[in-house]
Amino acid sequence: MLLKKTRSYLDLWNPQQVDTYPMGQALLAWKNSLNTSTDALNSWNPFDSSPCKWFGVHCNSNGNIIEIKLKGVDLQGLLPSNFQPLNSLKSLILSSANLTGGIPKAFGDYLELTLIDLSDNSLSGEIPEEICRLRRLQTLSLNANFLEGAIPSDIGNLSSLVYLTLFDNQLSGEIPKSIGALRRLQIFRAGGNKNVKGELPREIGNCTKLVVLGLAETSISGSLPSSIGMLRRIQTIAIYATLLSGAIPEAIGDCSELQNLYLYQNSISGPIPRRIGELKKLQSLLLWQNSMVGAIPDELGSCTEITVIDLSENLLTGSIPRSFGNLLKLEELQLSVNQLSGTLPVEITNCTALTHLEVDNNGISGEIPAGIGNLKSLTLFFAWQNNMTGNIPESLSECENLQALDLSYNSLFGSIPKQIFGLQNLTKLLILRNELSGFIPPDIGNCTSLYRLRLNGNRLGGTIPSEIEKLKSLNFIDLSNNLLVGGIPPSVSGCESLEFLDLHSNGITGSVPDTLPKSLQYVDVSDNRLTGPLTHSIGSLIELTKLNLARNQLSGVIPAEILGCSKLQLLNLGDNGFSGEIPKELGQIPSLEISLNLSCNQFSGKIPSQFSDLSKLGVLDISHNKLEGSIDVLANLQNLIFLNVSYNHFSGALPNTPFFRKLPLSDLASNQGLYISGGVSAPADDLGPGAHTRSAMRLLVSVLLSAGVVLLLLTIYALVRGRIGNHGLMEDDTWEMSLYQKLEFSVNDIVKNLTSSNVIGTGSSGVVYRVDLPNGKMIAVKKMWSSEESDAFNSEIRTLGSIRHRNIVRLLGWCSNKNSKLLFYDYLPNGSLSSILHGAGKGGAEWEARYDVLLDPTLPDGANLVQWVREHLASKKDPVDILDSKLRGRTDPTMHEMLQTLAVSFLCISTRADDRPMMKDVVAMLKEIRHVETARPEPGLSKGVNLTAAPPSPPARILVSQGSSNCSFAFSDDSI
């Protein structure tokens, strides 16, 4: 068919234009190699006299093809390698064309090309060196593909090159020094290539016409060369999220055309260069998340064109320069998380274009400038976690565009200006943990956009204004730890979007309102003076997950309608005057899994049999009541980590389960008829509280000192062994190697990289190195400390070789000889698990990420750790068997604490997301795990021994922390 079309093409070709025949033939041959289904190339007809009218084909006056432009056409095929007949082709644009495969070496034959645009395809392979023969090439756009390998070393031969874009590929290696030969280069962008490494060559300074330099999100290291100052025409330098270190050279001041300097998320140290003030055209300065020190230079105030300054998350000291008052075009000033001191300069109020002012997490003192109302465009003002004092200025109400205001954790005093509540755009108002007094004005009803209100931890008095009902968008309100009085206004039911209500630790009186917003998920009104019964309407709160009414004066019975709160996870009614029987409906709430506290009330009767269904419950406190009967109903509560039934009238044998056998006596005390069946117990610890504390402190100090010495010795040992060991690695060339993945390298490629400079971590069994393979791929290599550690070596191969889990590093293979044993892993550049879980900064992991790290580990031979432990517990086996054998034999209180912690962990790995507690709930449960001095009957005592080890004492408030008593489970989280 192709032959027939070619002949027809030849028969109809105009003899006067016969020279165009090979061009048309080449185009048709390429078309026929494509898998395209688009109609775009239908005009490429072999019966046409000339290809010059074909779609995407452009010719000059002589009929020669000079441009092929098929941008955005779904071609589905390979690049052409047969375009040599198109000897006048100057422009080849095939971007976004769904092309695959490599770039043909034949591209080096298209010598007239001035423009190549192959961006946004799926091209792979390396950039061919042959392309560097195109001396007339001005534009080379290869970005957004899957190209690999290094940037060609002869790139400097493209002497006419103006635009070079290689970003968002998989390139590796260093930037060739020959780049300095590109004297006409204006745009160089190679960011988004994680494996491009090495220092930025000083020869880059020879590209004196450079306008844009982009190397963001690469592994470029070292410091910026001082030759950067030779780039007098440079407008944008974007080298963020790399491995840059060292100081910014003062020569940056010579880049007189510079508008945008993006060097954030690096390891840059040293001070901000003073000569930066010479950059009169500078518009954006982003240096956040580095390690820069010293003061912010006053000279920065000379950059009068600047609109954005972000210096947050550094180690800057000194005060905010008053010269910033000259920056009349400044829109965003972000100085958070530094060590700045002094005051917020009054001159900052001259920056009338400011929309974002963030100075939180510093040591700024003094008052908020009274003229801050001049900032009419301000939408966000964060000054929390400082040492600011004085009153909140009324002029803040003049910032009519203000949407978020956070002045928390300062020492502000006086009242909240009522004018602030007239800000119609304000969505977040956070002034917690200050020394504010006065009242919450009724004007709060005017702040109709308010979504989040936190005024907790102040000295606010008066009542909660009824005008709060006008806040239809309000989602979160925390007024806890104040001096509020009066009742909870019934009008709060008008806050139809309210999910979080925290009023604990005030002086609120009256009863719980009959109507509360049905959207509520969290309610804490504990530690107030509420009276009366709990209303039947409580059952209408179908979204409620946590309800804390502890330490009030509530009375009556718990209404059966509480069963309507089907999502309830935590219920604390402790320290009240509730009476009657515990309603069976509490045992029918399937989601009740965090805590149920009914302590210090007047409940009577038996524990409802339905309590046996609370299989997920972690904390149960029913102490200090008048309950009676057996506690056998609690025997099947497998998830309990804390149980207190003391000071009741329970009787009968204690359930014979591991949990009850290890329950501290203090949690069972003063139940005259309760006894231990069989008398199996542990002797009491004869150490008093003081002696135990001193012993523990001595042990803790000893452990810390020992750990410090061991860590220091291990570090020295790792470096010494690394140097000595590497000399002997190749003494025996007989290596045994096994690879689980397709990798191309030799043992010598590995060994030569096992140097101290490549160490990325040490452990108990070996030292880990980062190794660059010849193909640009990076792997991690673990060298065992000793060649005799064959057990650890084989165990790691056996275990990790069979595990496939997204959160466990992949074992790629291993090799060994008589001197050394090496393990190969995927290299993960984000640091250790510890740094992810506990690291600071903008990259810190959230709870979802922490949970994903731990969920569902699968062991060799198909065994599932979580399932194994569940089955172990379900079969009534001793929970101690789950712990490491090295931990067994500890004192009874210690074992009890470990088992309680284990129980908390199993709440966190429930297979149903709704059943898993939030992190703050886990913290609340862990706070209940405390060291207790366990008293048990002596061995040999049997049935009939009662558990009243001490004379009954009244249910007095035994203070623990923050006013919480031993018969109350306080649940409040100031960090929400």
Side-chain angles (χ1 to χ4, degrees):
M1 184 67 181
L2 177 60
L3 181 61
K4 182 178 178 181
K5 289 182 177 180
T6 304
R7 286 176 176 171
S8 300
Y9 193 57
L10 181 60
D11 293 339
L12 296 176
W13 210 263
N14 189 330
Q16 295 180 352
Q17 296 181 327
V18 69
D19 288 340
T20 62
Y21 166 72
M23 295 186 292
Q25 185 183 41
L27 290 176
L28 289 174
W30 179 53
K31 173 190 174 183
N32 289 323
S33 72
L34 301 173
N35 297 317
T36 182
S37 57
T38 180
D39 296 334
L41 301 186
N42 285 353
S43 64
W44 289 28
N45 191 333
F47 298 103
D48 288 343
S49 59
S50 168
C52 292
K53 295 184 179 180
W54 291 354
F55 174 80
V57 178
H58 302 279
C59 300
N60 60 16
S61 56
N62 296 324
N64 292 316
I65 297 176
I66 59 171
E67 181 183 69
I68 297 175
K69 185 176 182 180
L70 297 174
K71 181 178 180 180
V73 178
D74 188 17
L75 297 177
Q76 296 187 33
L78 305 177
L79 287 169
S81 58
N82 63 333
F83 277 10
Q84 289 84 352
L86 283 64
N87 51 24
S88 297
L89 186 64
K90 296 183 179 299
S91 177
L92 179 60
I93 302 174
L94 300 176
S95 57
S96 306
N98 200 7
L99 293 170
T100 56
I103 301 174
K105 294 181 179 181
F107 267 52
D109 299 331
Y110 311 154
L111 298 177
E112 295 299 315
L113 277 174
T114 61
L115 186 152
I116 298 177
D117 186 355
L118 307 178
S119 61
D120 195 20
N121 281 292
S122 297
L123 301 176
S124 56
E126 299 185 358
I127 303 172
E129 288 281 353
E130 288 78 3
I131 212 166
C132 298
R133 298 204 297 251
L134 306 178
R135 302 300 178 94
R136 297 179 180 177
L137 193 65
Q138 298 177 15
T139 298
L140 179 58
S141 297
L142 304 178
N143 51 284
N145 280 288
F146 298 100
L147 297 174
E148 301 173 339
I151 300 172
S153 56
D154 291 334
I155 195 77
N157 292 341
L158 300 176
S159 53
S160 300
L161 203 59
V162 177
Y163 301 96
L164 176 59
T165 56
L166 306 174
F167 60 90
D168 291 345
N169 277 287
Q170 298 173 5
L171 299 174
S172 57
E174 300 184 357
I175 298 172
K177 293 182 179 180
S178 67
I179 194 118
L182 304 179
R183 302 304 173 92
R184 298 182 181 181
L185 192 63
Q186 297 180 19
I187 306 292
F188 177 37
R189 297 182 61 191
N193 289 286
K194 290 290 186 181
N195 295 321
V196 168
K197 60 180 183 179
E199 296 187 3
L200 181 63
R202 58 184 180 82
E203 287 81 1
I204 195 72
N206 296 330
C207 304
T208 53
K209 293 186 177 180
L210 202 60
V211 175
V212 174
L213 175 60
L215 295 170
E217 297 181 3
T218 63
S219 296
I220 290 291
S221 57
S223 56
L224 279 177
S226 57
S227 62
I228 202 86
M230 298 168 62
L231 305 179
R232 305 299 171 90
R233 298 185 182 182
I234 194 78
Q235 296 180 11
T236 297
I237 298 176
I239 315 180
Y240 56 85
T242 70
L243 303 177
L244 271 185
S245 57
I248 300 174
E250 286 286 346
I252 197 77
D254 293 326
C255 302
S256 53
E257 297 293 318
L258 191 61
Q259 298 177 15
N260 306 296
L261 182 58
Y262 304 140
L263 298 177
Y264 57 87
Q265 285 186 306
N266 285 297
S267 299
I268 296 173
S269 56
I272 300 172
R274 293 190 174 278
R275 289 196 61 197
I276 211 164
E278 299 175 23
L279 305 177
K280 304 303 181 183
K281 296 184 179 181
L282 192 64
Q283 297 177 11
S284 298
L285 177 63
L286 305 184
L287 304 178
W288 58 272
Q289 207 175 93
N290 278 288
S291 300
M292 307 192 74
V293 297
I296 302 173
D298 288 334
E299 290 82 353
L300 191 52
S302 302
C303 302
T304 53
E305 294 296 315
I306 203 162
T307 60
V308 178
I309 298 176
D310 191 344
L311 310 178
S312 55
E313 296 190 61
N314 277 286
L315 303 170
L316 300 173
T317 54
S319 57
I320 301 172
R322 297 184 180 277
S323 61
F324 276 13
N326 301 327
L327 307 178
L328 303 184
K329 295 183 179 180
L330 187 63
E331 297 176 2
E332 296 184 22
L333 177 60
Q334 299 171 0
L335 305 175
S336 307
V337 197
N338 277 288
Q339 299 170 16
L340 300 174
S341 55
T343 62
L344 193 60
V346 214
E347 290 80 2
I348 206 75
T349 61
N350 296 335
C351 305
T352 53
L354 261 182
T355 61
H356 289 64
L357 177 56
E358 302 179 43
V359 295
D360 55 275
N361 285 275
N362 281 290
I364 297 172
S365 56
E367 300 185 2
I368 300 171
I372 199 165
N374 294 338
L375 307 181
K376 308 295 184 184
S377 301
L378 197 63
T379 60
L380 185 148
F381 179 26
F382 284 178
W384 58 282
Q385 198 72 57
N386 278 291
N387 300 315
M388 305 189 79
T389 58
N391 293 285
I392 300 173
E394 290 183 8
S395 63
L396 260 176
S397 62
E398 298 171 20
C399 302
E400 54 191 27
N401 292 304
L402 196 61
Q403 297 175 16
L405 175 63
D406 193 343
L407 305 176
S408 308
Y409 299 99
N410 280 289
S411 299
L412 300 172
F413 52 79
S415 59
I416 303 173
K418 64 179 183 180
Q419 295 88 343
I420 284 183
F421 294 106
L423 293 171
Q424 298 293 312
N425 295 309
L426 191 64
T427 60
K428 295 180 182 178
L429 177 60
L430 295 87
I431 323 181
L432 57 139
R433 302 287 177 180
N434 277 279
E435 298 172 15
L436 298 174
S437 56
F439 308 120
I440 301 174
D443 306 73
I444 193 172
N446 299 328
C447 204
T448 52
S449 297
L450 201 59
Y451 178 84
R452 192 176 183 90
L453 175 64
R454 296 202 64 182
L455 304 176
N456 50 295
N458 285 287
R459 296 202 300 269
L460 297 172
T463 60
I464 301 172
S466 59
E467 288 78 5
I468 201 170
E469 67 178 338
K470 299 178 182 178
L471 306 181
K472 304 299 182 184
S473 300
L474 191 63
N475 174 270
F476 189 113
I477 181 169
D478 188 351
L479 304 177
S480 60
N481 285 290
N482 277 291
L483 304 173
L484 298 173
V485 295
I488 302 173
S491 60
V492 75
S493 62
C495 302
E496 53 196 32
S497 301
L498 192 63
E499 294 181 356
F500 188 105
L501 175 63
D502 193 347
L503 304 175
H504 82 268
S505 301
N506 278 287
I508 295 173
T509 56
S511 59
V512 179
D514 285 336
T515 56
L516 287 170
K518 291 181 172 55
S519 54
L520 276 170
Q521 297 180 16
Y522 179 105
V523 175
D524 189 348
V525 200
S526 60
D527 196 17
N528 278 287
R529 300 174 188 172
L530 296 175
T531 56
L534 191 59
T535 64
H536 297 277
S537 62
I538 193 72
S540 65
L541 303 180
I542 57 176
E543 300 296 327
L544 194 63
T545 60
K546 300 172 185 68
L547 175 61
N548 191 348
L549 299 176
R551 299 186 300 284
N552 277 287
Q553 300 166 22
L554 298 171
S555 57
V557 299
I558 300 176
E561 286 81 1
I562 200 165
L563 181 59
C565 303
S566 58
K567 296 183 179 180
L568 199 62
Q569 299 174 359
L570 179 148
L571 176 62
N572 190 349
L573 302 178
D575 286 274
N576 278 289
F578 288 109
S579 58
E581 294 188 352
I582 298 175
K584 64 180 182 181
E585 285 77 12
L586 284 181
Q588 297 172 340
I589 301 176
S591 58
L592 198 56
E593 58 186 36
I594 297 174
S595 174
L596 174 59
N597 192 334
L598 304 176
S599 64
C600 300
N601 280 287
Q602 303 294 321
F603 290 114
S604 58
K606 298 181 178 180
I607 301 174
S609 60
Q610 288 79 4
F611 268 40
S612 63
D613 295 330
L614 298 176
S615 58
K616 302 171 186 175
L617 190 62
V619 173
L620 176 60
D621 191 346
I622 51 177
S623 63
H624 296 89
N625 279 290
K626 300 176 180 179
L627 299 170
E628 59 186 27
S630 169
I631 62 173
D632 284 344
V633 69
L634 306 179
N636 293 324
L637 303 190
Q638 295 291 330
N639 279 340
L640 277 181
I641 63 166
F642 175 84
L643 173 66
N644 193 341
V645 297
S646 62
Y647 295 96
N648 279 287
H649 304 303
F650 291 120
S651 58
L654 199 66
N656 188 21
T657 68
F659 176 79
F660 279 92
R661 286 197 298 269
K662 298 182 180 297
L663 201 60
L665 183 60
S666 58
D667 292 340
L668 302 169
S670 294
N671 287 283
Q672 295 286 342
L674 199 61
Y675 60 88
I676 301 174
S677 177
V680 179
S681 61
D685 191 340
D686 59 357
L687 293 176
H692 178 83
T693 301
R694 289 192 296 274
S695 176
M697 286 302 294
R698 285 196 297 270
L699 177 61
L700 178 61
V701 171
S702 301
V703 169
L704 290 176
L705 287 174
S706 301
V709 173
V710 169
L711 286 174
L712 179 60
L713 292 175
L714 277 176
T715 303
I716 297 172
Y717 183 66
L719 294 176
V720 173
R721 283 294 300 273
R723 292 194 177 189
I724 296 176
N726 288 342
H727 289 297
L729 278 175
M730 299 306 295
E731 289 178 0
D732 185 350
D733 291 331
T734 306
W735 287 88
E736 182 183 0
M737 183 162 66
S738 179
L739 299 177
Y740 303 140
Q741 305 293 326
K742 184 178 181 181
L743 296 171
E744 296 179 0
F745 61 84
S746 66
V747 174
N748 186 55
D749 294 330
I750 300 295
V751 173
K752 69 182 181 182
N753 281 285
L754 303 186
T755 61
S756 59
S757 61
N758 288 332
V759 173
I760 57 176
T762 58
S764 60
S765 59
V767 58
V768 183
Y769 301 81
R770 184 183 68 186
V771 171
D772 296 316
L773 300 180
N775 63 0
K777 182 178 176 62
M778 199 175 294
I779 66 172
V781 176
K782 180 177 182 180
K783 182 161 76 75
M784 308 301 285
W785 286 123
S786 170
S787 59
E788 288 83 39
E789 291 186 14
S790 57
D791 290 343
F793 182 73
N794 294 332
S795 175
E796 197 147 351
I797 292 173
R798 185 171 57 252
T799 302
L800 291 179
S802 59
I803 289 178
R804 289 296 179 267
H805 189 277
R806 67 181 183 275
N807 297 129
I808 298 178
V809 66
R810 184 175 57 163
L811 181 66
L812 302 175
W814 57 270
C815 71
S816 66
N817 64 12
K818 69 177 184 180
N819 292 321
S820 302
K821 298 184 181 300
L822 308 177
L823 294 164
F824 311 142
Y825 300 91
D826 277 332
Y827 173 70
L828 303 178
N830 294 328
S832 65
L833 175 63
S834 174
S835 66
I836 292 176
L837 295 181
H838 308 298
K842 295 187 178 182
E846 295 296 331
W847 165 245
E848 289 80 7
R850 295 167 180 249
Y851 176 77
D852 285 341
V853 169
L854 298 172
L855 184 61
D856 194 25
T858 303
L859 299 179
D861 304 322
N864 183 282
L865 175 63
V866 177
Q867 188 61 34
W868 177 81
V869 177
R870 284 200 181 110
E871 291 172 356
H872 182 90
L873 296 177
S875 58
K876 310 295 184 183
K877 295 180 181 178
D878 193 339
V880 175
D881 295 340
I882 298 170
L883 302 177
D884 191 317
S885 58
K886 297 177 182 177
L887 300 176
R888 297 173 191 169
R890 302 292 181 94
T891 59
D892 190 63
T894 304
M895 291 298 294
H896 181 70
E897 292 173 13
M898 287 192 287
L899 291 174
Q900 285 180 313
T901 306
L902 179 66
V904 173
S905 69
F906 266 81
L907 290 176
C908 299
I909 56 176
S910 172
T911 54
R912 294 180 65 245
D914 293 341
D915 293 342
R916 296 190 290 267
M918 297 178 68
M919 198 62 183
K920 58 178 180 290
D921 303 330
V922 174
V923 172
M925 288 188 286
L926 291 176
K927 286 181 180 178
E928 288 296 330
I929 299 176
R930 61 186 188 279
H931 181 82
V932 291
E933 297 298 333
T934 310
R936 290 291 190 188
E938 294 294 331
L941 296 181
S942 59
K943 182 176 179 178
V945 179
N946 72 50
L947 299 178
T948 53
S953 59
R957 305 294 189 266
I958 302 175
L959 298 180
V960 182
S961 63
Q962 298 181 350
S964 175
S965 72
N966 73 322
C967 54
S968 173
F969 182 74
F971 189 87
S972 296
D973 185 3
D974 290 331
S975 65
I976 298 175

